[in-house]
Amino acid sequence: MRSQSEPIVRYGRFKIQILLLGLLALTLVGSTATLTMVSIHRQNETLTKTTLQKNFEAARNLAISANTIKNLMFKSLGGTAQYMSDERVPVGAESTRLLGLLLGSGIFNGALLIGGEGEVLASTPGSGFEAGDRVDAASKLTFTGSGTGPSMSAPFVAPGGHRVVLAAHPIKAGDAQPSVYIAGILDLQRSNVLSDLFVHTIKSDPGTYAYLVDGSGEAMMNAQADRAGEIVPAAALLAAFSAGQADEIQKAPERKGPPPEGPRPAAPELRANPVPGRGPAPIGNGGPTPRAAVLADGHGVRSFVGYLRVGELGWGMVVQSPVYIVNKAKHDLLMTQLKWSVPLIAAFLLLSLWASRLLAAPFAKLTDAARSIAAGNRLGRPPFESHWNYEAHHLARAMITAMHGLQRQADEFSVQARTDHLTGLLNRTGLDEWLKAREAEGSGIGYSLLVIDIDHFKKINDSYGHQTGDDTLVHLARILKAECRTTDLVCRFGGEEFVAVLPGETLERGSLLAERIRGCVENTISPTGRPITVSIGIASFPKHGEDFEATFQRADEALYEAKRSGRNRTMASA
């Protein structure tokens, strides 16, 4: 150690021990900063992509649920209309009673009987309509003509003052033209089965906001009125999701102050077309519009926005979360890095005081190694395994230990980014990295692809709680890992959906494994206290697609065919 009388600078030049100390300190700080920035940058990219994908998937789930609700509404109305037609129920107390029974399904806020000229013949109490009222022309519902199927109105203001949507179904009287229609009311300003979907989405992910817009991008239903200012302006939604730029992240400039005044784009006409054919209606308009984007909300706050249209209804499902959620994660990561790095740097500086008399040669080797790390390269072979100089020997070992620790920490963050924290399986990011590595290797080996989905998973969450739902996901993950080979890749694709890639397996062998998994799940007690069931779609590469996306599409179609065929079954793509 330097004595009090020993100068740091002599004859205008620094002593070599001070120069070496300064160089070592600079190298350590630079290497730490570089590793930290690289780690934060990768984490930022991963979190951004994950959040955008998560919000789109949430919007997609809302769209699917809304489409299901629409089908249930039409089915309920159709059944009541058929009964009234068969029994020739007159307009009066009996028809009013039937309208009240229609509310027992829990879908509608009210019900009406409407004449052929749009006049209200009967209504349920509290519906906002009374006998003699007329259905607003803004609903775009037509009660004359040749249409005999169910139809959905555009949003309009009811006589009671609330904004509503009607689902209408004609009541046939033999072969005569329908003159009376039964209609269910969805009050967009009251709680109902549709608003409950948005409330559930918001509560399931803190910071997330979800709402319903019409075809012009204007808000139709807002489950949290106190957050209305966060709604993305209609013009921004239309510009972002109607430009035909598939999967492009739109960067919105940050804006301070209130949104500018001025008219918004006119809404395209929403026609109440009858529902043709059988089976569920398609979700989305089928166009190459983006799935998610970064847009400014009504307060000018940049948010990750997922959007999907419900094609036949013309509605849009919007799920968004503010960008500052990712910024907070980056800040937490930086604090963690500093928590580990600062003590290590301080320890190295103390060690350097004792190693100030090291010769230039070992210092040059250490400096070269540190510069390589600062350039983004991993530390491989150490500069030297042993050195006759005691100080140089131990300083080199300390530096190697520190760099390995930082590299290990960066690797851990990378593993966390591609691993599903609940099940321990790879997530969507991990699957993408596996596919990229396979493509880089130029592997031409085919594989079978299994897409597994838990049947009635929402009912498990609703009946037993989300903790049991999570435990059920872990339960299925364990079965998949036990049934698949160590060379197979099993990942949680999202929600209750899992994917298994079986390299070198044919479609037939993949189908056998799928059936074995299905049987094992069906005969194993789950955390619910009883067995659950799964549906599995199987496809094979390259038989069913020239790449993973095409093969996955075929397997996903097979999965939905298994669902439509009654669930608890496996289905191989033709």
Side-chain angles (χ1 to χ4, degrees), residues 66-85:
N67 199 57
T68 301
I69 291 173
K70 179 206 69 176
N71 293 335
L72 290 175
M73 288 191 298
F74 287 164
K75 183 177 180 181
S76 179
L77 289 171
T80 305
Q82 185 65 43
Y83 175 83
M84 296 181 71
S85 175

Side-chain angles (χ1 to χ4, degrees), residues 217-233:
E218 297 288 350
M220 285 176 53
M221 174 175 284
N222 175 18
Q224 288 187 323
D226 57 338
R227 298 179 65 181
E230 298 178 30
I231 294 175
V232 176

Side-chain angles (χ1 to χ4, degrees), residues 118 212 440:
L212 176 68

Side-chain angles (χ1 to χ4, degrees), residues 363-377:
F363 272 111
K365 293 181 180 179
L366 293 174
T367 301
D368 290 342
R371 287 176 177 170
S372 177
I373 295 171
N377 300 321

Side-chain angles (χ1 to χ4, degrees), residues 548-569:
F548 176 82
E549 294 296 331
T551 307
F552 176 85
Q553 180 67 28
R554 296 291 297 274
D556 198 47
E557 291 171 357
L559 168 64
Y560 279 99
E561 181 62 28
K563 292 282 189 181
R564 287 191 292 268
S565 299
R567 295 184 171 84
N568 189 24
R569 63 189 62 211

Side-chain angles (χ1 to χ4, degrees), residues 148-177:
T148 59
S151 57
M152 186 73 71
S153 79
F156 68 98
V157 178
H162 281 203
R163 204 162 182 234
V164 301
V165 171
L166 294 184
H169 197 291
I171 301 176
K172 299 180 183 179
D175 295 330
Q177 180 67 31

Side-chain angles (χ1 to χ4, degrees), residues 63-330:
I64 293 174
S65 299
N67 199 57
T68 301
I69 291 173
K70 179 206 69 176
N71 293 335
L72 290 175
M73 288 191 298
F74 287 164
K75 183 177 180 181
S76 179
L77 289 171
T80 305
Q82 185 65 43
Y83 175 83
M84 296 181 71
S85 175
D86 294 343
E87 300 297 325
R88 301 185 181 276
V89 178
V91 176
E94 179 64 13
S95 62
T96 304
R97 184 184 69 83
L98 288 176
L99 291 179
L101 292 177
L102 187 62
L103 301 186
S105 63
I107 300 177
F108 300 108
N109 296 108
L112 305 174
L113 280 181
I114 306 173
E117 299 298 327
E119 72 276 15
V120 176
L121 304 177
S123 64
T124 55
S127 65
F129 290 84
E130 296 181 359
D133 289 338
R134 299 190 68 84
V135 175
D136 196 328
S139 70
K140 295 183 173 60
L141 281 174
T142 301
F143 299 100
T144 58
S146 59
T148 59
S151 57
M152 186 73 71
S153 79
F156 68 98
V157 178
H162 281 203
R163 204 162 182 234
V164 301
V165 171
L166 294 184
H169 197 291
I171 301 176
K172 299 180 183 179
D175 295 330
Q177 180 67 31
S179 60
V180 179
Y181 294 75
I182 185 171
I185 303 172
L186 274 182
D187 194 323
L188 301 178
Q189 296 174 238
R190 291 169 57 189
S191 176
N192 50 52
V193 66
L194 187 59
S195 67
D196 290 344
L197 293 177
F198 294 93
V199 172
H200 173 74
T201 299
I202 294 171
K203 289 183 177 181
S204 63
D205 191 358
T208 295
Y209 187 37
Y211 50 92
L212 176 68
V213 299
D214 60 21
S216 65
E218 297 288 350
M220 285 176 53
M221 174 175 284
N222 175 18
Q224 288 187 323
D226 57 338
R227 298 179 65 181
E230 298 178 30
I231 294 175
V232 176
L237 274 179
L238 291 178
F241 297 105
S242 301
Q245 298 171 340
D247 295 327
E248 180 179 349
I249 298 176
Q250 309 288 332
K251 295 293 184 179
E254 292 199 53
R255 172 167 51 81
K256 297 182 178 179
E261 298 291 337
R264 294 181 175 177
E269 181 177 347
L270 300 178
R271 293 176 294 175
N273 294 326
V275 179
R278 298 181 178 179
I283 300 299
N285 55 12
T289 53
R291 303 185 303 177
V294 179
L295 302 173
D297 66 16
H299 294 311
V301 177
R302 295 172 69 241
S303 299
F304 299 113
V305 181
Y307 175 86
L308 192 65
R309 286 173 61 91
V310 185
E312 288 185 347
L313 300 179
W315 300 347
M317 302 296 175
V318 182
V319 180
Q320 66 190 59
S321 51
V323 171
Y324 63 72
I325 291 178
V326 171
N327 294 335
K328 182 179 183 300
K330 289 193 297 183

